[in-house]
Amino acid sequence: MSVGTSSRAGRSEELRNALVDTIVADHAAKGLAMPADVERAMRKVPREAFTPGVPLERAYENTAVITNRRGEETTSSVSAPYLIAEMLGQAADALGGLEGRDVLEIGSGGYNASLLSELVGPAGSVTTVDIDSAVTDRAVACLESAGYSDVTVVCADAEHPVEPGRRYDLIIVTAGAWDIPSVWREQLTGDGVLVVPLRTFGMTRSWALRRSGDRLVSRSHRQCGFVSMQGDGGHRMRYVDVAAGVHLRLDENQQIIPDVVADVLTQPRREAWAGVSLPPRTVLADLDLWLAVRLTREAEEFLMLTAQEAAVESGIVAPSWRFGTPAAFDGGTFSYRSALRWTGRLFDLGAYAHGPEAAASAGRMVEHMRAWLDAGSPSPVLQVLPARTPDGDLPDGTVLDKRHSRIVLTFHTSSSR
Ligand SMILES: C[S@@+](CC[C@H](N)C(=O)[O-])C[C@H]1O[C@@H](n2cnc3c(N)ncnc32)[C@H](O)[C@@H]1O
């Protein structure tokens, strides 16, 4: 090993380049391209400057580094590098580049703000806001030590205007939101972009939304997970235990009687399969939102099922993804998307159901899956309109009413055009 690479700075550079190589490859595997300037910034900014007290190797793992906890709950972290790269890519694509842009980051730490500072360059500006003064104090110190003292750091609840009177080309939110307060839209320039991890139907996606008058229209979305928004815009997810290690995640205004579901899970399981043979890298990310939209229309309740490893191993449930699987409860029957069924290197999609109408419910769920595949695996478009928007002015789609906004999710298929 040469003297250069044995130094801490050399080792840091080596680890950083290896991490970025991994992220670039991961993007390619997902069919995404990392913009060249995002890649350049990620190869330059030393992540360890924003993770003080953490071993160098840990700072370059492709995961979040937790920096604050309140009880069991994580309240702040330095976000996972691959996710930061994807969201910066969404922003750069939606705006056609970030150089010279004025940016507001909601949720601080310093790492993402310094990447943004590299991307906007001297002609642009970066303001980062956090509700927690411990986070902003640390961010100021870390930004200073890494040489990014041109970033403005504000301690405030970003549910309200951050620098009154200022407009930004980009607002990038790095905490999980349930709603879009109108001040976020109002702080954008006329065609500015909001990148936000937004929860709909209990599922969080990072949406890049472009402003068009008083509405925001999605340009892209990515799967993601984030610590929850705090303050006046906080909205807790509720979990209901229905069996040992099996929970239902309730969002929006969903209601469920836990005992009824617990009972139903003890009844025999019926299954249905789509009868398809899909290759391993088939992207299913939008299938769950498609199911949410379809099942919300026809079932009493659409819910997300989560399960602990032990519950899956013991066979109580066999969900498609134990951290969040689409499920429905209707007329005493409970159904959910099952784990994939592999035959050699190909897999099929299925549904499991328990209750009086189990076979029919499972069958209906796989029909929806087949319909999504037959329609060419479409992606949804999400539009955000002010809460006061009358029904007649809403675009076609499934409407979720939040506190400040009406959110409309639309899948454009050849039959709906
Ligand atoms: C995942 S961390 C941010 C990571 C950071 N952007 C980075 O560079 O790695 C999320 C942050 O959002 C902050 N936050 C949560 N609710 C907020 C609110 N209403 N206004 C401003 N900040 C908030 C939390 O305090 C937390 O520090």
Side-chain angles (χ1 to χ4, degrees):
M1 192 182 277
S2 74
V3 175
T5 53
S6 66
S7 70
R8 186 172 157 92
R11 180 72 184 134
S12 157
E13 195 177 339
E14 199 173 76
L15 289 168
R16 189 159 57 251
N17 281 326
L19 172 65
V20 178
D21 291 346
T22 305
I23 298 173
V24 170
D26 178 51
H27 268 59
K30 292 178 181 167
L32 306 173
M34 195 195 291
D37 50 351
V38 174
E39 181 177 340
R40 246 191 323 272
M42 294 202 75
R43 290 195 191 274
K44 181 168 177 194
V45 175
R47 190 172 188 243
E48 72 273 23
F50 304 94
T51 58
V54 167
L56 190 59
E57 268 68 16
R58 175 74 188 93
Y60 286 105
E61 285 173 10
N62 201 5
T63 53
V65 174
I66 295 172
T67 45
N68 274 25
R69 277 200 174 88
R70 192 178 303 127
E72 295 270 283
E73 193 190 353
T74 299
T75 56
S76 191
S77 63
V78 180
S79 303
Y82 77 91
L83 192 48
I84 286 184
E86 286 189 21
M87 292 174 73
L88 291 174
Q90 284 185 280
D93 289 346
L95 280 165
L98 294 177
E99 201 179 339
R101 304 290 186 177
D102 293 318
V103 180
L104 171 67
E105 180 199 37
I106 296 178
S108 309
Y111 179 53
N112 194 36
S114 54
L115 292 168
L116 284 164
S117 171
E118 288 289 342
L119 288 162
V120 301
S125 72
V126 179
T127 299
T128 182
V129 59
D130 203 287
I131 197 167
D132 184 341
S133 60
V135 175
T136 49
D137 288 351
R138 198 186 52 235
V140 168
C142 293
L143 284 162
E144 184 94 36
S145 78
Y148 294 98
S149 37
D150 51 344
V151 171
T152 304
V153 182
V154 178
C155 184
D157 182 346
E159 176 83 357
H160 310 288
V162 175
E163 296 171 298
R166 271 205 77 181
R167 296 277 175 278
Y168 309 94
D169 302 301
L170 169 67
I171 299 180
I172 186 160
V173 183
T174 62
W178 178 79
D179 195 3
I180 309 283
S182 34
V183 300
W184 291 358
R185 186 188 63 249
E186 288 156 7
Q187 290 173 104
L188 285 174
T189 51
D191 57 357
V193 167
L194 172 69
V195 177
V196 57
L198 177 69
R199 204 165 79 225
T200 55
F201 300 105
M203 290 176 248
T204 303
R205 302 284 183 271
S206 165
W207 295 93
L209 302 157
R210 184 144 205 165
R211 182 174 182 182
S212 169
D214 67 355
R215 70 176 66 185
L216 298 163
V217 183
S218 72
R219 307 290 295 243
S220 67
H221 60 287
R222 305 273 183 268
Q223 235 165 337
C224 68
F226 267 96
V227 301
S228 298
M229 191 67 69
Q230 304 165 42
D232 292 345
H235 188 275
R236 287 197 165 273
M237 263 184 293
R238 289 170 298 136
Y239 285 88
V240 170
D241 296 346
V242 289
V246 182
H247 323 282
L248 294 176
R249 189 154 77 206
L250 307 188
D251 208 352
E252 334 296 352
N253 300 316
Q254 294 155 331
Q255 300 293 337
I256 199 89
I257 302 165
D259 291 350
V260 177
V261 182
D263 251 16
V264 96
L265 271 178
T266 63
Q267 296 180 36
R269 186 169 88 188
R270 307 298 287 277
E271 57 188 69
W273 294 93
V276 293
S277 298
L278 302 171
R281 284 205 178 274
T282 306
V283 178
L284 298 174
D286 293 326
L287 172 61
D288 288 351
L289 279 171
W290 171 276
L291 288 175
V293 163
R294 293 297 185 280
L295 296 169
T296 300
R297 281 188 207 146
E298 71 178 31
E300 248 167 60
E301 285 301 348
F302 170 82
L303 315 139
M304 291 298 278
L305 170 72
T306 64
Q308 285 165 19
E309 214 169 340
V312 174
E313 274 165 13
S314 66
I316 304 175
V317 285
S320 55
W321 192 47
R322 68 182 187 84
F323 299 103
T325 285
F329 190 69
D330 199 20
T333 297
F334 181 68
S335 52
Y336 61 92
R337 180 152 97 80
S338 73
L340 306 177
R341 182 167 71 182
W342 289 89
T343 309
R345 288 187 44 75
L346 301 174
F347 68 85
D348 195 1
L349 300 171
Y352 291 152
H354 303 255
E357 298 294 329
S361 273
R364 269 199 305 278
M365 200 180 271
V366 296
E367 265 168 41
H368 291 311
M369 297 178 196
R370 263 196 298 264
W372 181 71
L373 291 169
D374 289 347
S377 310
S379 289
V381 171
L382 182 133
Q383 299 196 50
V384 183
L385 297 100
R388 60 174 190 280
T389 310
D391 285 351
D393 292 349
L394 291 176
D396 284 342
T398 301
V399 181
L400 288 175
D401 280 314
K402 309 255 177 175
R403 224 170 345 202
H404 302 291
S405 55
R406 307 195 76 183
I407 292 181
V408 184
L409 208 61
T410 313
F411 280 89
H412 294 287
T413 61
S414 44
S415 60
S416 68
R417 267 191 255 271

